[in-house]
């Protein structure tokens, strides 16, 4: 069920859409019990990248170039009424103030907007640079993102941090390989990311972290697969990441992927291991509940292919 604002002009959106016979499914996993339940299924709009509100009763996702609120009680979708915001992508992060969200838009710039609706404020003003946001520091003062020359996707992304209030950005050295997904640890001391700096194999992203001050760059996991988007729960000791088959380039849509939940001290051993059809849009941003015990993710099954349907917990048969 959707409640689409009258002000939303879908003709402005030029991005991913559902394939014929495909649907968006938002799922909630509870690692401690192994429970995995479907919250929503939509054939109307391709939804991506759940953020969990501090209230614990709703998710924020993107779809059709705008942001939506998903009620956890009934799965109802309601579009956020935001003014002055270009079509958005799946890189959006809630601010610790609980009232605003910081967003990457398709014009390449970063914006901040009120969750209750209203005008969006542009943070960056660098038309030749595309900014892909993934982290807001726990103190709410700094953003972590990947920057690329606008339109040059073959160039390795660089890790950068920027004051939320705007100002001079600072590059963080994590090697020459492409990196993505930088987000802050709950204590604010580390930036977690995936990077190709540990190998010369094209596209072989691996999990890593670096201190916020740029020191201590280290690998979290050595894997034969292509691993993206490490996310730590805001409380507790759980983390997760999205794993693609070996040889995958980037983080494409519509692949058989694995979502692995781990203890933050040992990224090599999964405590929950979910397999389904997803990829791009599944967990591009941190999708942990504020209580650290539940995780939202998105699958994209196809009606005519039973292999793409459902979610399998490989640790529990």
């Amino acid at each position: 069920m959707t409640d689409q604002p009258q002000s939303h002009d879908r003709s402005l959106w030029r991005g991913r859409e559902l394939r014929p016979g495909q649907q968006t499914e938002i799922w909630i996993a509870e690692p401690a019990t192994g429970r995995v339940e479907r919250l929503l299924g939509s054939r109307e709009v391709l939804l991506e990248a759940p953020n969990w509100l501090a209230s614990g009763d709703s998710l924020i996702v993107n779809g059709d170039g705008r942001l939506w609120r998903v009620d956890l009680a009934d799965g109802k979708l309601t579009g956020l009424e935001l003014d002055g915001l270009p079509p958005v992508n799946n890189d959006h992060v809630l601010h610790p103030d609980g009232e605003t969200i910081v967003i990457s838009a398709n014009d390449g710039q970063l914006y901040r907007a009120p969750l209750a609706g209203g005008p969006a404020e542009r943070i960056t003003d660098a038309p030749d640079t595309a900014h892909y946001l993934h982290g807001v520091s726990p103190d709410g003062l700094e953003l972590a993102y990947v920057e690329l020359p606008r339109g040059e996707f073959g160039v390795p992304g660089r890790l950068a941090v920027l004051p939320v209030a705007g100002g001079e950005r600072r590059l963080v050295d994590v090697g020459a390989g492409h990196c993505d997904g930088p987000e802050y640890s709950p204590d604010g001391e580390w930036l977690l990311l995936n990077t190709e700096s540990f190998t010369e194999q094209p596209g072989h992203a691996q999990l890593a972290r670096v201190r916020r001050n740029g020191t201590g760059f280290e690998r979290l996991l050595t894997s034969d697969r292509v691993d993206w988007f490490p996310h730590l729960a805001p409380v507790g000791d759980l983390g997760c990441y999205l794993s693609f088959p070996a040889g995958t380039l980037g983080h494409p849509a519509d692949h058989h992927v694995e979502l692995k939940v781990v203890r933050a001290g040992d990224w090599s051993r999964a405590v929950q291991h979910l397999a389904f059809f997803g990829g791009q849009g599944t967990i591009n941003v941190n999708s942990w509940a504020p209580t650290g015990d539940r995780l939202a993710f998105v699958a994209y099954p196809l009606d005519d292919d039973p292999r793409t349907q459902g979610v399998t917990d490989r640790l529990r048969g």
Side-chain angles (χ1 to χ4, degrees):
M1 182 184 301
T2 63
D3 178 11
Q4 184 162 303
Q6 296 298 313
S7 61
H8 175 47
D9 183 356
R10 192 172 183 277
S11 66
L12 297 175
W13 173 236
R14 296 293 182 269
R16 286 184 64 207
E17 296 183 343
L18 291 169
R19 294 158 54 178
Q22 186 175 38
Q23 65 175 311
T24 297
E25 292 184 342
I26 297 179
W27 292 74
I28 307 295
E30 189 176 88
T33 65
R35 185 178 298 116
V36 184
E37 296 182 347
R38 196 181 84 152
L39 170 67
L40 173 153
S42 174
R43 298 181 183 276
E44 299 176 34
V45 57
L46 189 151
L47 303 169
E48 301 178 302
N51 296 131
W52 210 299
L53 290 186
S55 61
D57 62 359
S58 301
L59 305 172
I60 299 295
V61 296
N62 66 280
D64 277 356
R66 64 168 304 108
L67 296 176
W68 304 80
R69 183 170 179 147
V70 186
D71 191 315
L72 287 170
D74 58 13
K76 181 179 179 181
L77 279 174
T78 304
L80 272 61
E81 293 274 13
L82 300 175
D83 302 320
L85 182 65
V88 305
N89 57 45
N90 51 34
D91 294 333
H92 41 79
V93 184
L94 297 175
H95 191 274
D97 65 9
E99 298 179 355
T100 57
I101 185 168
V102 188
I103 311 149
S104 298
N106 283 0
D107 64 353
Q109 305 308 305
L110 302 181
Y111 293 78
R112 185 173 180 177
L115 290 168
E121 172 190 5
R122 189 168 67 181
I123 297 173
T124 58
D125 186 16
D128 294 332
T129 301
H131 307 70
Y132 296 95
L133 176 78
H134 285 272
V136 180
S137 61
D139 59 16
L141 299 179
E142 189 177 77
L143 305 176
Y145 63 93
V146 170
E147 68 174 35
L148 289 167
R150 188 86 187 273
E152 296 186 32
F153 295 105
V155 176
R158 298 189 296 175
L159 172 58
V161 296
L162 173 78
V164 171
E168 190 72 21
R169 69 96 162 92
R170 173 174 60 89
L171 293 176
V172 180
D173 184 8
V174 289
H178 177 67
C179 69
D180 206 343
E183 69 177 50
Y184 295 85
S185 59
D187 62 8
E189 292 297 315
W190 295 89
L191 287 165
L192 283 77
L193 65 148
N194 55 265
T195 175
E196 297 174 25
S197 292
F198 299 114
T199 176
E200 295 182 358
Q201 182 179 345
H204 193 65
Q206 298 281 273
L207 307 184
R209 68 176 185 172
V210 63
R211 287 192 178 90
R212 188 169 172 178
N213 64 9
T215 65
F217 180 47
E218 63 183 8
R219 194 170 187 167
L220 292 173
L221 173 67
T222 299
S223 168
D224 292 333
R225 293 175 61 86
V226 175
D227 299 328
W228 282 73
F229 302 135
H231 301 309
L232 288 175
V235 297
D237 67 345
L238 294 179
C240 71
Y241 65 96
L242 189 64
S243 185
F244 291 83
T248 304
L249 298 178
H251 53 103
D254 298 340
H255 272 56
H256 292 279
V257 295
E258 299 175 1
L259 175 57
K260 297 185 181 183
V261 180
V262 301
R263 301 291 180 192
D266 183 5
W267 289 82
S268 66
R269 185 174 65 87
V271 299
Q272 189 171 35
H273 185 170
L274 305 176
F276 52 92
F277 196 65
Q280 172 73 300
T282 289
I283 56 161
N284 288 57
V285 294
N286 195 309
S287 303
W288 283 102
T291 49
D293 59 349
R294 289 181 294 166
L295 174 68
F297 63 95
V298 190
Y300 304 96
L302 300 166
D303 291 345
D304 61 359
D305 189 347
R307 298 172 301 169
T308 69
Q309 297 164 17
V311 175
T312 300
D313 189 338
R314 293 186 170 174
L315 286 183
R316 296 171 174 83

